[in-house]
Amino acid sequence: MFIPRRVGKIVPDSLRRPNKSEVTPMCRNIKTLFNFDPPVTEEEVRAASLQFVRKISGFTKPSKANEAVFLAAVDEVAGVSTRLVRALETTAPPKNREEEAAKARARAAERFGAA
């Protein structure tokens, strides 16, 4: 249980907001896949699915004992992700991959300094 000092009431851990130091950002390798021109490829969905399963499991490369389950999870996440991206609808115009990549590089340069 977490007891805020100012409020003085008990708040369950599941309802409290994490401190900024406790917030873990999404893995930077998982990219947005929806609403791009040209559309997302199977390889991009698979790469994002692999990163997601790595993040969830804590394995970058599973042991032989866990390899089959790990790869099955990647396949399932890729399938669900593909269905999701194909089912989503928007009225916004598709984003250009090169423009979005340039914006991401500019943000990284601002955040981490020019390399």
Side-chain angles (χ1 to χ4, degrees):
M1 287 287 191
F2 174 74
I3 303 172
R5 291 187 182 172
R6 284 185 260 154
V7 178
K9 65 180 180 177
I10 296 175
V11 178
D13 289 336
S14 61
L15 297 178
R16 78 177 177 91
R17 283 195 260 165
N19 296 330
K20 284 185 180 181
S21 63
E22 294 175 331
V23 176
T24 305
M26 183 170 61
C27 182
R28 288 191 300 257
N29 294 331
I30 299 175
K31 308 293 183 205
T32 301
L33 301 177
F34 176 61
N35 198 27
F36 277 98
D37 188 32
V40 67
T41 65
E42 187 176 317
E43 292 80 24
E44 290 170 313
V45 172
R46 177 109 179 135
S49 301
L50 175 62
Q51 288 300 322
F52 179 76
V53 173
R54 283 178 173 170
K55 187 72 165 182
I56 295 296
S57 68
F59 299 133
T60 45
K61 185 175 182 202
S63 65
K64 287 288 182 190
N66 293 320
E67 187 174 25
V69 177
F70 184 89
L71 294 175
V74 172
D75 291 340
E76 286 185 48
V77 170
V80 170
S81 299
T82 299
R83 288 192 301 276
L84 171 66
V85 170
R86 288 183 181 160
L88 293 173
E89 297 178 12
T90 184
T91 57
K95 295 176 259 182
N96 180 286
R97 291 182 185 279
E98 288 77 27
E99 289 174 10
E100 294 299 317
K103 289 178 192 176
R105 284 191 297 273
R107 284 191 305 270
E110 184 177 313
R111 182 174 180 192
F112 301 113

